[in-house]
Amino acid sequence: MAVENIKLLLVEDDPSFGTVLKDYLQINDFDVTHAIDGEEGLYLFKNEKFNVVISDVMMPRMDGFTMAREMKNIDSDIPIIFLTAKNMREDVLKGYRLGADDYITKPFDSEVLLYKIRAIIQRNGINEEKFNQDEFKIGDFEFNAKLRSLNVNGHEYKLSPKENELLRMLCVFENDLMPREIALNRIWNEDNYFTSRSMDVYIAKLRKYLKDDPSVEITNIHGEGFRLVSEE
């Protein structure tokens, strides 16, 4: 998706800062809508389609955390970047627990924000239709995500919901890196130590199923994620 097609919702109650930041983002080819508080931001979000939300935290009428929680209830995949003067550890953790993609403390370098937005767009720019694909061929395996069924040589494995979604995501990224944080946020809705360890357990289970075909394996890219490797 080209940058000029990216719609940003900027929620910032400081009119001067909000105007300057909006102009800067528009100069860099983003389509930006500016809301002055959380209530307006949530109203716009309900009535328009946005690719990324950039929001202050401390705002009148509705704070950024409350707004973000409501937005995530509507679209759990919407990327959110918090901009705030607060840098208390608990506030940062609260932002990430709500599913924030990044948390930037004011004052900040606008160019850094630009790079962060582009990184999020690149990370989320995977063809969404593939995430809804139900049937995959993996080596000798036939995988039906709708039926949660993995078949090989006449033998069927019935997958749990988490196994199913994780294998579907590995198939989407077949022979490429599946970033750990994307899988955790899309499947577990949270990226932390405990969900990360849980994903490792499910990866081990999938490896046991896939061992029936030696041409298929799930490899670990240390600190980055996993690859579903299927030899032609």
Side-chain angles (χ1 to χ4, degrees), residues 17 45 53 60 118 126 135 159:
F17 177 70
F45 187 81
V53 175
R118 286 172 174 159
I126 306 148
E135 296 182 0
L159 305 180

Side-chain angles (χ1 to χ4, degrees), residues 41-133:
L42 184 58
Y43 173 81
L44 289 168
F45 187 81
K46 288 178 177 178
N47 290 279
E48 298 181 42
K49 178 68 176 177
F50 295 97
N51 302 105
V52 180
V53 175
I54 304 167
S55 178
D56 193 6
V57 172
M58 301 300 294
M59 295 183 292
R61 299 211 297 170
M62 181 184 291
D63 65 87
F65 288 150
T66 302
M67 181 195 72
R69 187 179 297 109
E70 293 296 322
M71 289 178 174
K72 286 289 186 179
N73 286 336
I74 298 169
D75 180 0
S76 61
D77 294 328
I78 184 69
I80 298 176
I81 301 175
F82 284 120
L83 307 177
T84 178
K86 301 181 70 175
N87 60 1
M88 297 286 289
R89 179 176 180 273
E90 185 55 39
D91 292 314
V92 174
L93 293 176
K94 184 176 181 180
Y96 283 123
R97 282 197 293 268
L98 286 170
D101 287 71
D102 220 322
Y103 200 113
I104 305 176
T105 304
K106 301 175 183 175
F108 58 86
D109 185 332
S110 297
E111 191 172 3
V112 171
L113 172 61
L114 204 62
Y115 282 116
K116 287 180 178 289
I117 295 170
R118 286 172 174 159
I120 288 172
I121 292 167
Q122 183 179 13
R123 192 169 71 222
N124 288 275
I126 306 148
N127 187 344
E128 287 296 323
E129 290 184 3
K130 292 206 71 175
F131 281 115
N132 297 320
Q133 184 176 334

Side-chain angles (χ1 to χ4, degrees), residues 2-231:
V3 168
E4 59 267 20
N5 295 324
I6 298 297
K7 291 192 65 175
L8 304 181
L9 175 58
L10 173 63
V11 189
E12 171 58 62
D13 67 314
D14 183 328
S16 298
F17 177 70
T19 300
V20 170
L21 184 55
K22 178 183 177 181
D23 289 344
Y24 175 76
L25 292 170
Q26 287 180 328
I27 289 171
N28 285 276
D29 299 322
F30 290 104
D31 180 355
V32 185
T33 299
H34 179 203
I36 60 172
D37 58 48
E39 281 193 6
E40 184 183 10
L42 184 58
Y43 173 81
L44 289 168
F45 187 81
K46 288 178 177 178
N47 290 279
E48 298 181 42
K49 178 68 176 177
F50 295 97
N51 302 105
V52 180
V53 175
I54 304 167
S55 178
D56 193 6
V57 172
M58 301 300 294
M59 295 183 292
R61 299 211 297 170
M62 181 184 291
D63 65 87
F65 288 150
T66 302
M67 181 195 72
R69 187 179 297 109
E70 293 296 322
M71 289 178 174
K72 286 289 186 179
N73 286 336
I74 298 169
D75 180 0
S76 61
D77 294 328
I78 184 69
I80 298 176
I81 301 175
F82 284 120
L83 307 177
T84 178
K86 301 181 70 175
N87 60 1
M88 297 286 289
R89 179 176 180 273
E90 185 55 39
D91 292 314
V92 174
L93 293 176
K94 184 176 181 180
Y96 283 123
R97 282 197 293 268
L98 286 170
D101 287 71
D102 220 322
Y103 200 113
I104 305 176
T105 304
K106 301 175 183 175
F108 58 86
D109 185 332
S110 297
E111 191 172 3
V112 171
L113 172 61
L114 204 62
Y115 282 116
K116 287 180 178 289
I117 295 170
R118 286 172 174 159
I120 288 172
I121 292 167
Q122 183 179 13
R123 192 169 71 222
N124 288 275
I126 306 148
N127 187 344
E128 287 296 323
E129 290 184 3
K130 292 206 71 175
F131 281 115
N132 297 320
Q133 184 176 334
D134 288 327
E135 296 182 0
F136 299 88
K137 187 77 167 65
I138 320 163
D140 291 335
F141 290 91
E142 292 181 355
F143 170 42
N144 189 313
K146 186 175 183 179
L147 301 177
R148 303 208 320 251
S149 171
L150 182 64
N151 290 275
V152 60
N153 300 326
H155 182 80
E156 180 183 27
Y157 295 102
K158 296 300 289 187
L159 305 180
S160 71
K162 285 284 195 301
E163 290 170 347
N164 190 67
E165 289 310 306
L166 187 54
L167 183 56
R168 187 206 301 260
M169 186 162 292
L170 285 163
C171 288
V172 169
F173 288 90
E174 186 176 1
N175 293 319
D176 200 355
L177 171 69
M178 180 194 75
R180 178 180 285 273
E181 67 273 13
I182 291 181
L184 289 171
N185 285 314
R186 290 187 72 108
I187 300 174
W188 278 265
N189 297 315
E190 195 168 7
D191 180 357
N192 59 39
Y193 173 82
F194 299 103
T195 55
S196 183
R197 296 287 74 79
S198 177
M199 182 167 72
D200 290 340
V201 171
Y202 283 102
I203 288 287
K205 291 180 179 179
L206 291 177
R207 282 177 172 146
K208 288 182 180 179
Y209 299 142
L210 296 173
K211 66 180 175 56
D212 290 341
D213 183 352
S215 72
V216 177
E217 66 174 330
I218 300 173
T219 62
N220 180 29
I221 310 300
H222 183 68
E224 299 295 333
F226 300 93
R227 288 181 67 215
L228 174 62
V229 181
S230 176
E231 297 178 7

